[in-house]
Amino acid sequence: MALLESRIPPGALADKWRRHKADMRLVNPANKRKYEVVVVGAGLAGASAAASLSELGYAVSCFVFHDSPRRAHSIAAQGGINAAKNYPNDGDSVHRLFNDTVKGGDYRSREANVHRLAEVSGDIIDQCVAQGVPFAREYGGLLANRSFGGAQVSRTFYARGQTGQQLLLGAYSALSRAIGSGGVKLHTQSEMLDLVVVDGHAKGIVARNLLTGEVTRHSADAVVLATGGYGNVFNLSTYARGSNATAIWRAYKRGACFANPCFTQIHPTCIPVTGDYQSKLTLMSESLRNDGRIWVPLRKEDRLKPAASIPEADRDYYLERIYPSFGNLCPRDVASRAAKRVCDEGRGVGETGLGVYLDFSEAIGRLGEAGVRERYGNLFDIYHEITNEDAYRVPMRIFPAVHYTMGGLWVDYNLMSNVPGLFVLGEANFSDHGANRLGASALMQGLADGYFVLPYTISGYLASQKPGSRPPADGPEFMQAEAAVGAVTRRLLSVRGTRPVSYFHKRLGHILWQHCGMARNRAGLEKALQEIPALREEFWAGGLVPGTGDSLNQSLERAVRVADFLELGELMCRDALAREESCGCHFREEHQYPDGECKRDDVNFAHVAAWEYAGEGDVPVRNTEPLTYEAVKMSVRNYK
Amino acid sequence: MTTPKTFNVTVRVWRQVGPGREGRFVEYPARGVNPDMSFLEMLDVLNDELAARGEEPIAFSHDCREGICGTCSLVINGKPHGPNHGVASCQTYMRSFRDGDRIVVEPFRARAFPVIKDLVTDRSAFDTIQQAGGFITARTGSAPEANAAPVPKHVADLAMDAAQCIGCGACVAACKNSSAMLFVASKVSHLGLLPQGQPERDSRVLAMVSTMDGLGFGGCTNQYECSAACPKLISHDFIARLNRDYTKAVFRSAFKPEPAGGGET
Amino acid sequence: MDLVRNLFGSTIGRKLLMAVTGVVLIVFVIGHLVGNLQVFEDPDRINGYSHFLQSLGPALWAARIFLLVCVALHIWAGTVLAIEARRARGAESYAVKKWIQATVASRYMRWTGYVVLAFILYHLAQFTVGVAQPGTFKANLPHYTMKGAYRVLGVEVVRAGTDVLDVRSMVILGFGNRLVAVFYIVAVGLLSLHLLHGADSLFQTLGWRNHRWARGLRVVVTVFCAAYFLGNLAIPGAALLGVLH
């Protein structure tokens, strides 16, 4: 059994972080350059961490599989970033942001971490503005805010619909400065394929150069993983095609616990799937729900009729009907499940029957077409580009899609996993969003971890390691890890079956979407737990990976990632099956109120499930970390 | 709503096994193309067919597939990112083509962007330019209160117009001189417009331009092919701004007094 | 020196040199044309004007050297930029390449530049040095006696009765050669095309152009180039048509 020590500092909730910073062990400035830190990933969390650690004086190496650190998928975040600045004077505070986030996560996140996140949120905005992030501003030149789901205050800072891009470019510029001055050594097109653990501590990684196939060993005093989420396990998602779980999965197999793997956010407003060739789902910003009305035909016979020909009386504005007080603006998990329900009833629109209307005719009547264009013009353009439909004339069709994973590697208050020396940041860890993430909180967490948490907490660990004590990169553990990586690559290339990797990825995605998606039940999860291992066997026996391992081989890259997804998918189902309750995104059909809402079981499941690898073919161990709430009262979320 | 009619096209693709190797065009039929497919999805399907036939799939760069990461980089029928205005390759849909079309697909061509394989090029030169000065030095933790320095809305908006650059390199690919001026101009303008960017304004533009030149990009001849090919439609007005900033910086740096420097204690 | 290194050593610096020398040369060609249009007036005007310029001596040579330096810098910077651009393009070129919005004038700057250079050389050979068409060169023609005085800004610079070179006859006789006249017309046409891009482009290079007034600038430049072409067309055109005699 892994030891899960949360290391939450003592004291009142609001004092914990301040006291912890004051109590933390420090590293002598002259010694910092003797510590080598490997950072994997250069999204918001990785780039901000690498830049900040280098500014402190540590010797940092940064590994990214992309051709440039600027390509990380943080770049695609649209809406904004939350911060408790209270600029609009509408009563926001650190406590309120903390409270909203814990409630939004359906009481499955760690209270002390969330409070710290809210505390540093304001510093993030200061830091980003100083870097030149061009946030939206009022006419007076001060920063503008807008409101977002799950909050009653306006605390979201934004840069048009490209907030993630601008924040990432800010962190990337800080990282670029550090690279230019020699503080960070950058390894692009280098994919981490194993974690090296020496005497129980994370002491390095093994990476493969994607252009040359060369496998290299890198020794370090600490390893930081900031490799993002694993939503691509579903094949179709709003993630970038390259987003993958390989780094955290290999760390899991080296002993790091994987927490709440089944917590997957499914975003309600995405453009529906059109065909089996599809590679990617595109998000339409949540903001559309401010003015668009969501409906399906009342009768399933009408579902293929042109929307305009269906009279008002034959339409079912189901969100307004079921949730009269929140209506079309209810939280993401609730809206997604409702869409699934009406489609399951056979009332979904479009060819596939997997879609609901998001109708702007009422808004066009109220604001005029120009008014709607001014607010949402770019989104209507994107919609038109993809579907060739004019949403000013016919309603948009939308459907939920996989968007974010709240689960990830288990970390303590210091963001260190149960493997000492292994730190996990951003979406790759599990800590802050519980069972559902609120809009505009992912960017906040990534930057909080990288700029303002890790730079403090890593010194606590490094101070316990003697400078220069890191093991040589040709030690037995390194050689063994390198050999294991080479073996996997060779095995994948040697199968030479008949089915391309995409075939297996699609099938895995289909199984997970069916049984571990918006609604889960015992029978389905048990079925998935039969199907996934069978699919994995089929993959290893009949997969086809063309080309060689000594040059750029995109098929091989994908095969390596899909091989890991085929294992991770099973763990997700196992976790979903073991969690006999419904909470946030995790909806077990057996556990619901008569009106179809989530029924939490705080007596038995107010804990983090942290899965521990037990070896090839063995059932992993489910460890738990109890969640205790001092400052908030656990209650049933009600959006009616 | 009717089922879209599928059609057939021929793609003529640049194939090159590795850096510095001879390349050539190879034609492949793409059958049963759905007009709602993206161009990259058409290549995905073609690649699966190639793999099944025992041939090596076509290597091409892609990632987010929603036009923001800047990874995709195809020249389709002689235009970077394809026939449509203001989109990246990944946002090009097959409905832009007709049955029987012969579509020529090439990598971005520039000495500073060498071909790695097939349609994949090495654009790390952009990172090198960025590392030379494309930043505001603001150590983590040292930032003043965000609202301490107001920025007029139109200035912030203009800075955002420039900051939208996705770093794809289409500007270089479209330019007959392979000039990186639009890329550099967008960064220099974004940071130079903001009050936070003033202390390093001169050193930034001098460093970025000299790095750009050193990497073998050509000069600008004011034809504005770059801004027309830019998936974010970044204006070449920023190139004028870069020219002005550079000129000022050249003269200021030549005549401003150099501090004697006290030495640290 | 940083200043020299940056101006001559960087792409933007060389573009700046092209723009600044371009401005000088545009001012020169405007003045040159306005002076030459005096050919349509009494022979006293153009011949007096020409004599006045010749009489400036060292100042004339200073201006000539300055203009030659500008031409040389313009050509040098353009050549270096073109060589760099070709190198930047790399070994492999596109199999298919479409222009998106570049103007015709901008695409042929190098070629119009070559023709203009050839034209300048011939022009100097014909009218300044007298190597080409020596038979109609001013030094080989009977002198002209000024009927009245030639004044610049009200100051008498050439007295009546002065024996001066007959520039007017040289021009008319020179353009009596149809081939020369046609070459002249084609060349100034291409020079106008060169200016159509150059005069617009220099504002961009100097950093004074933006979309708010780019269209207005375009109109001004187009009108200027058309006027310049028509003005230049007038002299050989009139000589060809026999209007001038």
Side-chain angles (χ1 to χ4, degrees), chain C residues 166-237:
Chain C
D166 190 355
V167 170
R168 188 169 186 276
S169 299
M170 170 178 75
V171 169
I172 295 167
L173 293 172
F175 286 139
N177 182 332
R178 276 163 193 260
L179 203 64
V180 171
V182 168
F183 172 58
Y184 189 95
I185 291 168
V186 169
V188 292
L190 293 179
L191 174 57
S192 303
L193 202 63
H194 197 79
L195 293 182
L196 190 60
H197 178 69
D200 190 323
S201 174
L202 69 89
F203 285 87
Q204 172 82 357
T205 301
L206 294 172
W208 299 336
R209 181 185 187 280
N210 69 48
H211 69 277
R212 299 273 307 261
W213 65 292
R215 192 165 295 173
L217 175 67
R218 189 86 209 139
V219 170
V220 170
V221 167
T222 308
V223 168
F224 159 71
C225 289
Y228 179 73
F229 176 64
L230 290 176
N232 271 304
L233 177 67
I235 301 171

Side-chain angles (χ1 to χ4, degrees), chain A residues 52 55 66 68 70 85 87 126-127 132 141 143 160 165 172 241-242 279-280 385-386 502 552 554, chain B residues 41 48 60 63-66 69 71 95 117 127 138-140 145-147 151 157 161 163-165 190:
Chain A
S52 303
E55 284 164 9
H66 289 104
S68 160
R70 67 178 294 150
K85 281 283 198 186
Y87 288 155
D126 297 344
Q127 180 63 30
L143 292 160
R160 296 196 189 143
Q165 181 199 25
Y172 163 72
R241 289 308 286 158
S279 61
K280 155 87 190 177
E385 214 170 74
I386 294 173
S502 62
L552 177 65
Q554 293 172 322
Chain B
E41 285 165 350
D48 276 351
F60 63 94
D63 197 33
C64 80
R65 300 208 176 189
E66 53 184 289
C69 73
T71 309
R95 68 178 75 93
K117 184 174 183 176
D127 289 320
R139 290 172 65 99
T140 306
E145 154 61 35
N147 259 346
V151 182
D157 285 348
D161 286 347
Q164 288 190 80
C165 167
H190 158 212

Side-chain angles (χ1 to χ4, degrees), chain A residues 538-600:
Chain A
E538 210 183 309
F539 170 78
W540 284 106
L544 167 61
V545 183
T548 60
D550 56 4
S551 67
L552 177 65
N553 185 341
Q554 293 172 322
S555 310
L556 177 62
E557 288 169 30
R558 187 162 181 202
V560 168
R561 294 166 189 166
V562 169
D564 289 336
F565 284 144
L566 282 164
E567 297 178 3
L568 168 60
E570 186 182 344
L571 186 70
M572 290 168 68
C573 294
R574 210 175 278 288
D575 184 46
L577 184 62
R579 190 170 278 278
E580 289 281 0
E581 63 158 354
S582 293
C583 59
C585 69
H586 173 63
F587 185 73
R588 280 288 298 270
E589 289 168 348
E590 301 93 326
H591 305 287
Q592 54 179 308
Y593 289 104
D595 57 2
E597 298 302 327
C598 279
K599 191 173 181 181
R600 256 188 4 242

Side-chain angles (χ1 to χ4, degrees), chain A residues 52 55 66-71 73 75-76 78 85 87 125-127 129-132 134-135 137-143 159-160 162 165-166 169 172-173 176-177 179-180 186 211 238 240-243 277-280 350-351 384-388 397 451-452 500 502 544 546-547 551-552 554-555, chain B residues 1-3 34 36-37 41 44-45 48 51-52 55-66 68-71 87 91 93 95 116-117 120 123 127 130-131 134-141 143-147 149-153 156-157 160-161 163-167 183 190-191 194 196 232:
Chain A
S52 303
E55 284 164 9
H66 289 104
D67 63 339
S68 160
R70 67 178 294 150
R71 312 264 188 237
H73 199 51
I75 203 134
Q78 299 171 354
K85 281 283 198 186
Y87 288 155
I125 303 302
D126 297 344
Q127 180 63 30
V129 167
Q131 286 169 346
F135 282 122
R137 286 177 183 267
E138 311 279 1
Y139 282 100
L142 302 179
L143 292 160
R160 296 196 189 143
Q162 288 145 262
Q165 181 199 25
Q166 293 309 312
L169 293 182
Y172 163 72
S173 70
S176 294
R177 183 176 82 90
I179 295 164
L186 177 70
L211 300 185
T238 65
R241 289 308 286 158
S243 301
Y277 51 78
Q278 196 150 346
S279 61
K280 155 87 190 177
E351 292 280 314
H384 179 259
E385 214 170 74
I386 294 173
T387 64
N388 205 26
R397 284 175 298 114
Y451 283 135
F452 296 112
S502 62
L544 167 61
S551 67
L552 177 65
Q554 293 172 322
S555 310
Chain B
M1 216 170 304
T2 54
T3 314
N34 185 318
D36 285 336
M37 272 179 163
E41 285 165 350
D44 287 340
V45 172
D48 276 351
E55 290 178 45
E56 182 134 356
I58 302 158
F60 63 94
S61 300
H62 64 94
D63 197 33
C64 80
R65 300 208 176 189
E66 53 184 289
I68 193 75
C69 73
T71 309
V87 295
Q91 297 165 295
Y93 284 79
R95 68 178 75 93
I116 292 171
K117 184 174 183 176
V120 178
R123 287 164 289 170
D127 289 320
Q130 192 90 23
Q131 288 152 15
F135 48 76
I136 290 171
T137 302
R139 290 172 65 99
T140 306
E145 154 61 35
N147 259 346
V151 182
K153 182 170 162 47
D157 285 348
M160 180 65 199
D161 286 347
Q164 288 190 80
C165 167
I166 60 173
F183 170 76
H190 158 212
L191 299 176
L194 297 171
Q196 291 84 358
K232 290 290 171 192

Side-chain angles (χ1 to χ4, degrees), chain C:
Chain C
M1 252 257 317
D2 279 358
L3 184 66
V4 173
R5 200 186 60 222
N6 282 326
L7 282 181
F8 287 79
S10 74
T11 48
I12 299 183
R14 285 192 285 268
K15 283 291 293 180
L16 205 65
L17 290 177
M18 288 205 82
V20 171
T21 52
V23 171
V24 170
L25 296 174
I26 286 173
V27 169
F28 166 74
V29 294
I30 293 171
H32 189 55
L33 173 64
V34 170
N36 288 353
L37 284 176
Q38 294 176 97
V39 77
F40 286 103
E41 297 186 33
D42 187 274
D44 264 12
R45 297 296 300 262
I46 183 100
N47 289 343
Y49 166 68
S50 154
H51 188 77
F52 161 66
L53 291 183
Q54 294 288 341
S55 69
L56 290 176
L60 177 67
W61 276 106
R64 279 175 170 167
I65 288 166
F66 176 63
L67 284 171
L68 280 174
V69 167
C70 282
V71 169
L73 272 178
H74 199 79
I75 293 172
W76 171 79
T79 309
V80 172
L81 284 166
I83 292 169
E84 282 172 344
R86 181 180 298 178
R87 203 183 301 147
R89 191 72 270 172
E92 203 70 55
S93 55
Y94 290 112
V96 183
K97 182 78 181 84
K98 290 204 181 94
W99 290 100
I100 312 175
Q101 65 176 18
T103 58
V104 172
S106 75
R107 293 182 222 162
Y108 297 101
M109 287 303 273
R110 202 142 55 88
W111 299 104
T112 50
Y114 291 152
V115 177
V116 168
L117 176 63
F119 166 64
I120 292 172
L121 294 176
Y122 187 84
H123 192 67
L124 292 177
Q126 182 185 7
F127 292 142
T128 310
V129 188
V131 183
Q133 297 173 276
T136 60
F137 187 59
K138 54 197 173 187
N140 303 333
L141 293 176
H143 284 196
Y144 174 81
T145 309
M146 295 290 286
K147 292 176 288 191
Y150 183 76
R151 292 187 165 80
V152 175
L153 301 172
V155 180
E156 185 181 283
V157 289
V158 184
R159 263 179 302 172
T162 314
D163 237 16
V164 298
L165 294 171
D166 190 355
V167 170
R168 188 169 186 276
S169 299
M170 170 178 75
V171 169
I172 295 167
L173 293 172
F175 286 139
N177 182 332
R178 276 163 193 260
L179 203 64
V180 171
V182 168
F183 172 58
Y184 189 95
I185 291 168
V186 169
V188 292
L190 293 179
L191 174 57
S192 303
L193 202 63
H194 197 79
L195 293 182
L196 190 60
H197 178 69
D200 190 323
S201 174
L202 69 89
F203 285 87
Q204 172 82 357
T205 301
L206 294 172
W208 299 336
R209 181 185 187 280
N210 69 48
H211 69 277
R212 299 273 307 261
W213 65 292
R215 192 165 295 173
L217 175 67
R218 189 86 209 139
V219 170
V220 170
V221 167
T222 308
V223 168
F224 159 71
C225 289
Y228 179 73
F229 176 64
L230 290 176
N232 271 304
L233 177 67
I235 301 171
L240 274 181
L241 293 174
V243 179
L244 276 177
H245 47 77

